[in-house]
Structures are given as C-alpha cells and as structure tokens.
C-alpha cells in the first residue's frame, strides 16, 4: 500500500513520492522559547514525531529538522522583565522544552537549529533576495520582501493578492509607512534600545521571523525538501512567506508536501498563551502519565480539531491502561508458565493476528489516521485477551506481546513498563562500581551510577559505604 498525505498546497491527499528514494527530508516549525510549552504546542510535536516514526517503520531514512525560535519580541520582553539577557531565557526554556519532549517520548530531531546561530545564512539569503529584485531596503534600514514580485504568492493559503490588499490590517507591521506595498513583509529590522542585535550592511538589527525557517531548512536539508509541517495557524502568513523567500532566492520548489495539524482547543477555542486558556505539559504531568497525553493527541486525526477536556483525558487514560494491562497480563503468563510447543491452533491464530498489523498500516497510510490505527491496536488487545491463557505456548504469548508493543512503538506509545530491579541486581552493580573505582575506572563507575539512576535507584556514598534507595 502506498502512503497518502493530505497536502495543504493542493488541498488533496496525494501519494507520497520522496525526492530521493528511501529518504525523507522533513522540516517542522518549532516553538518560540519564552515559557514552558503548553499542550497546544505539544500537538504538532507528538503528531509529527509519529509521522516520522511511521515513515521509519516503512523503511525511510528520515532527516528531521525542527528549530527553536530563540530571538523574538516575547523572549526579549521576558528578558527585560527578569533583568537578564535574552539568551538566558531561551536557553532555560529550550532545556525545559527538551525535558517535556522526552517525557512525551518525542524523539529529538536530527538537528534542532537555533535562529541566533544562523544569522550569517539569513544575511546571505536576504542579500540574494535584494540582488534578485525581490527585496529592498527602506530608509530606516528595514529590509522588506517585495511580495508582489513573487507571482505565486498565496498559493499555499489559497489567498488572492488583491483580496489580501483589500484590508487585512493584521499584515501591517512597524515601519509600515516605509513599505512600497502593504503586503510586503519584514526580512530584517533595525534594533531597538536594549534589544539583541547583529551587524549587517543595512543596519544593526535582527531578522524578521519568517526568514529563519527558509534559511535553516536550506542549510540542513537543501533547497528542496519533502515535507514542511506545523500547526495550521502557520499556513498564513508564516509558511506563505517562507515559500516566497525560499523559492524567490533558490529558484526551486521549496517543499513538496505541506502538512498542518488542526488546533487543540479548550471550550472550543484555540488554546494559546495569549488567550490565557492553556495548560502546560508540566501541569498535565502532575495529574497524568504523559503517555496518556500522547494517547489523547493520537486519538483524533491530526487534521481534526481536538477539544481538551477532563472527560476525554479520563477516556484516554482508560484506553491507554487497557493496552498496558494486556501487555502486563501477557508478561505475567510468560513468567509463570507457557508451554514449549506452539500448537497448530495457535499458529492459525497468529496468522489471523498478523492482519492487525496490515490494517494498522492501512490506517496510517491513509494520511496518518492515528484514530483508526489505535482502534486496530484495541482489536489486537481484545484478540490477545481472548486467546491468551495459562495453556498458551511461550511463542504464542511472546508473539502477541511483541506485536502490541511494536504497533504502539510506531505511535511512540510506551506500553511495557520496565520491570523493577531486583535488590540482588542492584547490589551486584554497586559492587561492580566499587571495583571500577578501585581500578580508577571512573568512567565505568559514573556509567553505573547513571544506569541505576535511570532505573530509579539513587546512590549515596557514606562513610559506612554505599547506600541506595528507590527514587
Ligand atoms: P509557537 O510557539 O506559538 O510558534 O507554536 C509552536 C507550534 O505549536 C506551531 O506549529 C503552532 O502552530 C503550534 N500550536 C500553537 N498553539 C496550538 C494549538 N492550540 N493547537 C495546535 N497547535 C498549536
Ligand atoms: Zn517556521
């Protein structure tokens, strides 16, 4: 079965054909880092991490780039409030964001570029745009993109240039009176007092928001990429402007498939920092295992709006736990018995079970329909609960368990909790650490401490020797 992706550009599901066989180049617009991320921001992270995992499951090598916007008005405002440099704020919230990502089992991108580290590339692209007549410098040093010079402007958001001109006041930005045309947007702007700035031949200043993604995508993935993604609020103007900049500068099609997740709402309104109607990922982690949040996000198709509510989170919790319990059950049966011989009846049942994997792929091939894919996992769980028992063979139990775990893994759902370490295993590792320290092999000693920490065991070196406790 071939993979179909809904492309915002054509407004149709299209068969996915990569630029280079077996490889996917994918860019996902990341968060602006001035605060803890909210669960609306978490939606694209979870959705596109799942897209990446599924692509890998299909055998593609995925080069996944996702930026952090680390220079922006909101970051600067927060820095001024706290009396610190903007970098202190962005560094802090990048670290916090990475913790949240890990807790949601969102894998780190292949590269996470930072806007402030890519200024040279931005200066170069802006100069190319000026040289080609697609950009100009205004009297105060601001550089604008000449929107009308890009014939295809509006092709992603399906807007008509003249309609836009008609009256979208939100397009106006500071310095607007110096623009040649109301539709022109900022590529570079002069610094204001107390703001971070960089030298350029136009003025001391900083980049506009859109240019960073065009530049980082070009640097880490090349002029043409397969997939560009983000939340649907980015379609216009951010992604429309990225297309204009990249295609005008590079003379090539920027991205072949544009994917956009719908909003996570609360009381039927978009969750956002500015509206104040948000929960951070951290808030949710106090009440739920974040795997439940992940399950909740995947229980709807990514292009459907999703309303956050306690009732839906409770339903997600029940659903997730049903899978975890089934896996626990299979593990219990495996540890406490399981016959040696796979029977003919079991062989037939396993053949039947294989069909769940095929149906899971079918659902995901249809524009990543995770809602249907989770239903298939439930059917498999029900099948396992019905057919696995004390009389089952080890091979039968193991195969069923592996199939459930593998399908969940494609969704990034961890459903098999690590068994608690036995006291004897912990003590053996502590003894090995002592030996390593005696032999001055501190690297190994640290490694063991870390390994134990990851399994929830904290060591304390005391005068009476090493003590340990479960965290
Ligand atoms: P921002 O930090 O606002 O630039 O957002 C980072 C990412 O989160 C972008 O892809 C946004 O489109 C996405 N996003 C922000 N709020 C929501 C929401 N309520 N639902 C879904 N996606 C969102
Ligand atoms: Zn972007």
């Amino acid at each position: 079965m071939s993979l179909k992706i809904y492309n915002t550009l054509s407004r149709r599901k299209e068969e996915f054909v990569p630029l280079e066989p077996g490889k996917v180049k994918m860019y996902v617009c990341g968060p602006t880092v001035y605060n803890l991320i909210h669960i609306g921001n978490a939606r694209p992270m979870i959705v596109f991490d799942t897209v990446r995992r599924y692509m890998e499951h299909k055998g593609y090598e995925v080069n996944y780039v996702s930026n952090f916007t680390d220079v922006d008005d909101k970051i600067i405002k927060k820095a001024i409030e706290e009396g610190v440099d903007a970098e202190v704020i962005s560094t802090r919230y990048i670290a916090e964001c990475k913790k949240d990502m890990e807790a949601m089992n969102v894998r780190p991108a292949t590269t996470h570029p930072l806007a402030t580290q890519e200024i040279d590339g931005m200066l170069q692209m802006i100069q190319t745009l000026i040289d080609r007549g697609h950009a100009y410098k205004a009297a105060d040093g601001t550089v604008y993109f000449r929107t009308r010079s890009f014939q295809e402007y509006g092709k992603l958001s399906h807007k008509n240039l003249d309609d836009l001109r008609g009256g979208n006041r939100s397009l106006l930005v500071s310095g607007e009176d110096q623009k040649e045309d109301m539709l022109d947007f900022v590529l570079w702007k002069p610094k204001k007092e107390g703001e971070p700035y960089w030298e350029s031949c136009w003025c001391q200043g900083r980049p506009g928001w859109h240019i960073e993604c065009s530049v980082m995508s070009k640097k880490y993935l090349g002029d043409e990429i397969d997939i560009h993604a983000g939340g649907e609020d980015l379609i216009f103007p951010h992604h429309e402007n990225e297309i204009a900049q990249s295609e005008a500068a590079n003379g090539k099609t920027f991205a072949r498939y544009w994917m956009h997740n719908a909003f996570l709402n609360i009381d039927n309104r978009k969750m956002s920092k500015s509206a104040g109607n948000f929960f951070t990922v951290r808030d949710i982690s106090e009440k739920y295992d974040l795997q439940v949040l992940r399950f909740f996000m995947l229980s709807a198709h990514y292009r459907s709006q999703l309303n956050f509510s306690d009732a839906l989170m409770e339903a997600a919790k029940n659903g997730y736990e049903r899978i975890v319990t089934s896996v626990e059950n299979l593990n219990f049966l495996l540890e406490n018995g399981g016959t040696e011989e796979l029977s003919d009846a079991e062989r037939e049942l396993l053949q039947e079970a294989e069909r769940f994997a095929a149906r899971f792929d079918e659902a995901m091939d249809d524009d990543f329909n995770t809602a249907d894919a989770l239903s298939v996992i439930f059917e498999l769980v029900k099948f396992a609960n019905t057919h696995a028992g004390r009389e089952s063979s080890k091979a039968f139990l193991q195969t069923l368990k592996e199939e459930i775990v593998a399908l969940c893994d494609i969704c990034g759902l961890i459903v098999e909790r690590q068994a608690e370490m036995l006291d004897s295993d912990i003590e053996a590792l502590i003894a090995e650490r002592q030996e390593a320290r005696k032999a001055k092999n501190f690297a190994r000693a640290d490694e063991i401490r870390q390994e134990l920490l990851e399994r929830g065991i904290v060591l304390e070196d005391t005068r009476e020797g090493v003590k340990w406790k479960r965290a």
Side-chain angles (χ1 to χ4, degrees):
M1 261 282 286
S2 66
L3 170 63
K4 292 207 167 56
I5 299 183
Y6 180 89
N7 191 348
T8 309
L9 204 55
S10 64
R11 290 184 169 166
R12 278 204 316 269
K13 281 185 200 167
E14 295 175 16
E15 188 180 332
F16 177 69
V17 184
L19 283 159
E20 205 181 316
K23 297 200 169 161
V24 179
K25 295 179 201 170
M26 180 166 179
Y27 186 98
V28 182
C29 291
T32 307
V33 278
Y34 66 101
N35 219 325
L36 291 175
I37 58 163
H38 61 68
I39 56 175
N41 302 132
R43 190 171 190 194
M45 287 179 182
I46 291 172
V47 161
F48 298 115
D49 177 63
T50 307
V51 166
R52 172 194 195 178
R53 287 168 186 268
Y54 184 65
M55 295 271 198
E56 287 178 351
H57 161 71
K58 289 200 68 104
Y60 291 109
E61 191 186 304
V62 184
N63 191 346
Y64 189 100
V65 176
S66 189
N67 64 310
F68 286 113
T69 298
D70 63 343
V71 56
D72 157 273
D73 290 345
K74 290 179 235 124
I75 300 174
I76 294 168
K77 183 165 170 264
K78 179 116 176 174
I80 292 169
E81 277 164 19
E82 288 195 18
V84 294
D85 283 347
E87 202 189 333
V88 173
I89 301 294
S90 57
T91 307
R92 182 196 305 157
Y93 290 110
I94 288 170
E96 297 298 343
C97 179
K98 286 186 173 169
K99 277 190 214 156
D100 286 340
M101 285 168 61
E102 194 183 342
M104 296 187 293
N105 203 25
V106 169
R107 281 167 44 202
T110 317
T111 315
H112 278 293
L114 307 181
T116 55
Q117 304 305 307
E118 309 289 345
I119 301 291
D120 282 350
M122 298 190 214
L123 297 177
Q124 269 172 36
M125 190 178 277
I126 295 169
Q127 189 58 54
T128 306
L129 290 169
I130 293 175
D131 294 345
R132 294 187 167 201
H134 290 292
Y136 60 93
K137 181 184 135 177
D140 68 349
T142 307
V143 183
Y144 291 102
F145 185 87
R146 188 175 278 127
T147 302
R148 279 180 186 279
S149 73
F150 184 67
Q151 297 294 319
E152 292 176 283
Y153 193 83
K155 67 177 170 180
L156 180 71
S157 52
H158 305 275
K159 290 183 196 294
N160 174 305
L161 276 190
D162 292 311
D163 292 348
L164 281 176
R165 193 183 170 80
N168 193 338
R169 309 292 299 172
S170 66
L171 291 171
L172 298 178
V173 290
S174 59
E176 72 223 23
D177 45 343
Q178 299 188 344
K179 289 195 213 180
E180 287 176 2
D181 188 295
M182 202 171 116
L183 294 172
D184 297 349
F185 59 88
V186 172
L187 298 172
W188 187 263
K189 55 186 167 192
K191 69 167 183 183
K192 288 199 199 115
E193 198 50 44
E195 289 186 354
Y197 67 90
W198 289 264
E199 296 293 337
S200 81
C201 59
W202 314 294
C203 63
Q204 291 178 327
R206 63 186 169 102
W209 170 35
H210 316 296
I211 193 74
E212 70 179 78
C213 290
S214 284
V215 166
M216 296 189 240
S217 183
K218 178 181 171 82
K219 175 164 171 189
Y220 294 99
L221 297 170
D223 287 357
E224 288 183 276
I225 69 169
D226 294 295
I227 301 175
H228 196 114
E232 66 179 352
D233 51 339
L234 301 187
I235 298 174
F236 186 84
H238 185 53
H239 286 166
E240 197 70 73
N241 291 355
E242 280 188 40
I243 292 178
Q245 296 162 159
S246 294
E247 299 194 355
N250 304 328
K252 298 208 180 108
T253 302
F254 180 34
R256 312 235 306 211
Y257 302 86
W258 287 85
M259 294 181 71
H260 294 98
N261 64 275
F263 292 144
L264 177 78
N265 293 335
I266 188 157
D267 298 328
N268 297 311
R269 274 178 61 220
K270 181 195 172 195
M271 183 177 286
S272 75
K273 283 269 158 62
S274 53
N277 60 347
F278 65 89
F279 290 108
T280 62
V281 170
R282 228 38 86 77
D283 292 334
I284 300 301
S285 73
E286 281 169 18
K287 200 163 166 203
Y288 293 100
D289 180 336
L290 289 179
Q291 291 298 299
V292 172
L293 180 67
R294 185 159 184 132
F295 185 97
F296 164 76
M297 295 286 185
L298 298 179
S299 64
H301 188 268
Y302 74 92
R303 284 189 293 111
S304 305
Q305 306 233 336
L306 179 57
N307 207 41
F308 179 82
S309 70
D310 287 343
L312 283 181
M313 279 300 281
E314 284 302 313
K317 182 168 179 244
N318 290 337
Y320 171 67
E321 281 177 357
R322 198 163 359 134
I323 307 174
V324 171
T325 307
S326 176
V327 170
E328 271 171 7
N329 216 5
L330 290 166
N331 273 333
F332 178 84
L333 292 170
L334 273 165
E335 278 157 25
N336 295 282
T339 58
E340 292 305 322
E341 271 303 297
L342 183 74
S343 70
D344 287 344
E346 286 180 331
R347 202 164 280 127
E348 269 178 41
L349 282 170
L350 287 182
Q351 268 172 10
E352 223 180 290
E354 271 173 28
R355 274 188 248 139
F356 293 106
R359 285 180 46 220
F360 175 93
D361 278 14
E362 239 171 74
M364 293 295 276
D365 276 343
D366 183 14
D367 190 30
F368 308 96
N369 193 333
T370 53
D372 283 0
L374 289 183
S375 306
V376 176
I377 295 179
F378 278 132
E379 284 182 51
L380 173 61
V381 161
K382 192 167 164 206
F383 183 90
N385 292 349
T386 309
H387 297 291
R390 288 184 186 280
E391 310 304 317
S392 304
S393 70
K394 282 195 169 64
F396 181 72
L397 297 168
Q398 187 68 27
T399 309
L400 283 180
K401 185 190 90 171
E402 280 171 10
E403 192 167 339
I404 298 174
V405 171
L407 295 187
C408 289
D409 186 53
I410 298 169
C411 298
L413 286 167
I414 303 166
V415 290
E416 192 173 25
R417 297 196 178 113
Q418 271 202 340
E420 225 175 52
M421 283 185 93
L422 295 173
D423 289 6
S424 55
D425 292 340
I426 297 170
E427 274 146 22
L429 275 172
I430 292 177
E432 192 191 332
R433 178 168 169 267
Q434 295 301 84
E435 285 304 311
R437 280 166 55 142
K438 254 193 240 157
K440 301 216 177 323
N441 183 355
F442 297 111
R444 176 64 190 143
D446 283 351
E447 203 176 274
I448 294 173
R449 175 188 276 274
Q450 190 55 31
E451 200 177 311
L452 286 166
L453 199 62
E454 277 164 20
R455 309 273 317 249
I457 311 297
V458 183
L459 299 187
E460 198 190 340
D461 292 308
T462 69
R463 253 190 289 171
E464 297 86 56
V466 181
K467 291 195 175 147
W468 63 268
K469 60 173 195 250
R470 293 183 197 273

